[in-house]
Amino acid sequence: MAEGEALPARDALLLLTWLSPGYPVGAYAYSHGLEWAAETGDVRDEASLRAWLGDVLAHGAARNDAILAAHAHAAGAQGDGPAAAALNDLALALAPSRELHLETSQQGRSFLDATCAAWPAPGLTALAAHLPGPVAYPVAVGLAAGAHGLARRTLLTGYLAAFLQNLVSAALRLSPVGQSAGTRVVAALGPGIAAVAAEADEAPLDALGAATVRLDLGSFRHETQYSRLFRS
């Protein structure tokens, strides 16, 4: 799809549906370490939430997920099952803790199963046969989008926006911010989302890497947190 061209109605419908909070992947159950950050006071208001999510986007799992989704999109478009399986192994290995591994693998498995059932495509069904066990969420989304011919840059932008909006929703339930502040945070992250999507669209797998050590450590500590709303 050329730059500036309107998104086809079918592609828009698929992306809005697949990345909707109502899609049956269980995204609402995960906070990606945000619950621990709120408990310790790292995230306590609008400014700290914006800074925390900005780091997740530019230096953490959101950026890695976008790169993985881009490569999965290519495998999906080419129907390359072995490449999809190898990419999935890499993606699962990148999860720094048991909880974050559960977060990506549970959502990915649920996404792939639901999409194969509701939006079957010969290429996607064949690819799914190479992924019988846990599936990383960005790999599942990227494969489905590639198999269905969705534009890759649009997919990456939508994926990142949904990733961060889910965390803002978690922040609302944890109460460090209200709805108006959460909306401002989403708006403020917009340029960063576009920039990371553009980078990931061309990035090699060697570009994978994260520098969110406090989030990673917090994901270990979340397991023994006294009171929890989320699974990560």
Side-chain angles (χ1 to χ4, degrees):
M1 185 172 68
E3 185 175 355
E5 184 179 343
L7 185 65
R10 183 195 71 103
D11 289 9
L13 173 62
L14 287 179
L15 279 180
L16 288 171
T17 304
W18 290 355
L19 300 175
S20 163
Y23 205 64
V25 300
Y28 63 86
Y30 300 97
S31 79
H32 198 72
L34 188 60
E35 183 167 22
W36 177 84
E39 175 73 15
T40 60
D42 284 357
V43 174
R44 59 195 175 276
D45 54 21
E46 181 178 345
S48 57
L49 176 64
R50 184 172 63 248
W52 182 272
L53 296 184
D55 284 345
V56 174
L57 173 63
H59 309 296
R63 175 180 174 275
N64 276 350
D65 275 12
I67 295 172
L68 291 164
H71 285 266
H73 183 282
Q78 296 162 10
D80 192 338
L87 186 64
N88 186 56
D89 288 343
L90 172 62
L92 292 173
L94 289 174
S97 71
R98 177 179 177 275
E99 289 197 353
L100 294 179
H101 185 281
L102 174 66
E103 178 181 302
T104 191
S105 62
Q106 186 273 315
Q107 291 186 78
R109 181 77 264 166
S110 297
F111 180 93
L112 188 59
D113 291 347
T115 306
C116 284
W119 284 276
L124 183 59
T125 301
L127 288 164
H130 290 267
L131 301 169
V135 184
Y137 187 43
V139 173
V141 176
L143 288 175
H148 279 276
L150 273 65
R152 187 165 69 182
R153 180 74 65 85
T154 302
L155 162 72
L156 299 178
T157 304
Y159 180 95
L160 290 169
F163 184 109
L164 294 172
Q165 286 175 330
N166 187 65
L167 296 187
V168 169
S169 175
L172 296 179
R173 283 173 279 166
L174 292 167
S175 300
V177 299
Q179 289 184 335
S180 295
T183 301
R184 289 193 295 269
V185 168
V186 171
L189 293 171
I193 289 172
V196 172
E199 176 195 358
D201 195 22
E202 304 292 338
L205 288 176
D206 286 347
L208 288 166
T212 51
V213 178
R214 189 159 175 81
L215 186 157
D216 296 344
L217 291 175
S219 72
F220 288 102
R221 295 172 179 168
H222 181 261
E223 181 178 342
T224 58
Q225 195 167 316
Y226 175 71
S227 176
R228 301 194 308 172
L229 294 176
F230 299 95
R231 301 181 72 184
S232 70

